[in-house]
Amino acid sequence: MIPAVNVAYVEPHHALDHALLILIKSGYSAIPVLERGERVRGTISKTLILDSILGLEQIEVDKLRDRQVAEVMNADVPRLHAQDTMMKALELSISRPFLCVEAEDGTFLGLVTRSAILERVHAYCRW
Amino acid sequence: MIPAVNVAYVEPHHALDHALLILIKSGYSAIPVLERGERVRGTISKTLILDSILGLEQIEVDKLRDRQVAEVMNADVPRLHAQDTMMKALELSISRPFLCVEAEDGTFLGLVTRSAILERVHAYCRW
Ligand SMILES: Nc1ncnc2c1ncn2[C@@H]1O[C@@H]2COP(=O)(O)O[C@H]3[C@@H](O)[C@H](n4cnc5c(N)ncnc54)O[C@@H]3COP(=O)(O)O[C@H]2[C@H]1O
Ligand SMILES: Nc1ncnc2c1ncn2[C@@H]1O[C@@H]2COP(=O)(O)O[C@H]3[C@@H](O)[C@H](n4cnc5c(N)ncnc54)O[C@@H]3COP(=O)(O)O[C@H]2[C@H]1O
């Protein structure tokens, strides 16, 4: 698991131009949206932001300032809990590049990425 | 494997504004770069294109028209061949979201995605 302190994230009320800059600077395609930095609300990606500003011909970057992350983010985010099995993480990661891990009280603990799951599987298969 | 006919791609000589539009319209984070639609030359992503136009403060979209895909693409693309094992595909997919499959004569055949590998592993583990 990538611990919360090493996870790039934005807040639901942040403007989209700020979110796109964070995404570009981090180098990631998608990152979690965390309320007050500790409650998972969704995920935001370069794909979702660029989709929202694609005009007829131009990419209208100036539209970004007036819109918020909450309007564009994907709120369908399954949570993983510390006691969940590897099988559950594997199943959920088939259709998502990363999974958000939560504590019992709902606090964000970190991310499990597809690369971490694939690495575990690879190590397991070699035995 | 996703057969070549269903794979979104661009050519090395295409302008970056065209490549970004293809990426946005396809909804994918990254797609292969194919010479004449049949030889793998690299991969291009929203991340690589946005990185190349991030000015001091602004995202300078008008710079895209004057640059080509070949200048920005990632040319480090391992190829998979039809006779390669699942283990090899698993190993290569740990650090790449998709793999390009080639025929003996180097012709592009299609893509193997992480979700396809994870799905196979999941089905295998359930037995
Ligand atoms: N700075 C870097 N160093 C080394 N390898 C890098 C890298 N950036 C990307 N990669 C490689 O490319 C894959 C796809 O990255 P992507 O940003 O599309 O997709 C990423 C990104 O959207 C998200 N992610 C990963 N680490 C993150 C973090 N610290 N904070 C926020 N989001 C993160 O999880 C997705 C899946 O990550 P995963 O590791 O499975 O898969 C990563 C990893 O194998
Ligand atoms: N239209 C769609 N329908 C259903 N699910 C979708 C989807 N677009 C994205 N996803 C889901 O999101 C994952 C990440 O997509 P992404 O575009 O970052 O990353 C994609 C994309 O960069 C590339 N890719 C997938 N299919 C492609 C195609 N037909 N042509 C070109 N590139 C493709 O391979 C990467 C890994 O794909 P993977 O399937 O493992 O993982 C996909 C898939 O699980």
Side-chain angles (χ1 to χ4, degrees):
Chain A
M1 184 177 88
I2 300 177
V5 66
N6 295 333
V7 172
Y9 73 91
V10 286
E11 309 251 358
H13 62 275
H14 282 163
L16 278 185
D17 57 350
H18 170 74
L20 187 57
L21 276 180
I22 297 279
L23 276 162
I24 294 175
K25 295 215 159 112
S26 72
Y28 298 121
S29 302
I31 57 177
V33 178
L34 306 176
E35 186 112 51
R36 292 186 310 283
E38 55 175 41
R39 301 266 154 187
V40 179
R41 290 291 174 256
T43 60
I44 188 82
S45 65
K46 286 170 177 156
T47 295
L48 287 172
I49 295 177
L50 289 172
D51 269 354
S52 75
I53 57 169
L54 180 61
L56 232 49
E57 273 309 319
Q58 278 301 328
I59 295 160
E60 296 157 4
V61 189
D62 36 16
K63 273 196 189 159
L64 289 175
R65 253 186 291 289
D66 318 324
R67 307 192 62 191
Q68 289 190 344
V69 165
E71 292 174 51
V72 167
M73 72 185 184
N74 173 1
D76 164 28
V77 187
R79 308 335 191 226
L80 214 59
H81 298 91
Q83 74 276 14
D84 282 332
T85 62
M86 173 72 180
M87 271 306 274
K88 182 161 179 205
L90 174 61
E91 197 167 339
L92 289 176
S93 73
I94 289 172
S95 56
R96 297 171 188 83
F98 63 87
L99 304 168
C100 293
V101 184
E102 268 184 3
E104 289 300 306
D105 66 355
T107 313
F108 176 67
L109 294 175
L111 292 186
V112 169
T113 59
R114 275 180 170 171
S115 58
I117 290 172
L118 287 161
E119 215 156 22
R120 273 273 183 103
V121 167
H122 184 253
Y124 182 77
C125 291
R126 289 171 73 84
W127 287 96
Chain B
M1 181 176 87
I2 300 175
V5 66
N6 295 332
V7 173
Y9 73 92
V10 286
E11 308 252 356
H13 63 275
H14 282 164
L16 279 186
D17 57 352
H18 170 74
L20 186 58
L21 275 179
I22 299 277
L23 276 163
I24 294 174
K25 295 222 160 105
S26 72
Y28 297 123
S29 301
I31 57 177
V33 178
L34 307 175
E35 186 116 48
R36 293 188 310 283
E38 56 175 37
R39 299 271 154 176
V40 179
R41 290 292 174 254
T43 61
I44 187 82
S45 65
K46 287 169 178 156
T47 294
L48 287 171
I49 296 177
L50 289 172
D51 268 356
S52 73
I53 57 169
L54 181 60
L56 234 50
E57 274 308 317
Q58 278 301 330
I59 295 159
E60 295 157 3
V61 189
D62 36 19
K63 272 196 188 163
L64 288 175
R65 251 187 293 288
D66 318 325
R67 306 193 61 189
Q68 289 191 341
V69 165
E71 293 174 53
V72 168
M73 74 186 185
N74 172 3
D76 162 29
V77 187
R79 305 338 188 227
L80 213 60
H81 297 91
Q83 75 277 13
D84 282 334
T85 62
M86 175 72 183
M87 272 305 277
K88 180 159 183 204
L90 175 59
E91 194 166 343
L92 290 175
S93 73
I94 289 171
S95 56
R96 298 171 188 82
F98 64 85
L99 304 169
C100 294
V101 183
E102 267 183 6
E104 289 300 306
D105 65 354
T107 313
F108 177 66
L109 295 174
L111 290 186
V112 169
T113 59
R114 276 179 170 172
S115 57
I117 290 172
L118 288 161
E119 215 155 24
R120 270 279 182 101
V121 168
H122 184 253
Y124 182 79
C125 290
R126 290 172 73 83
W127 286 99

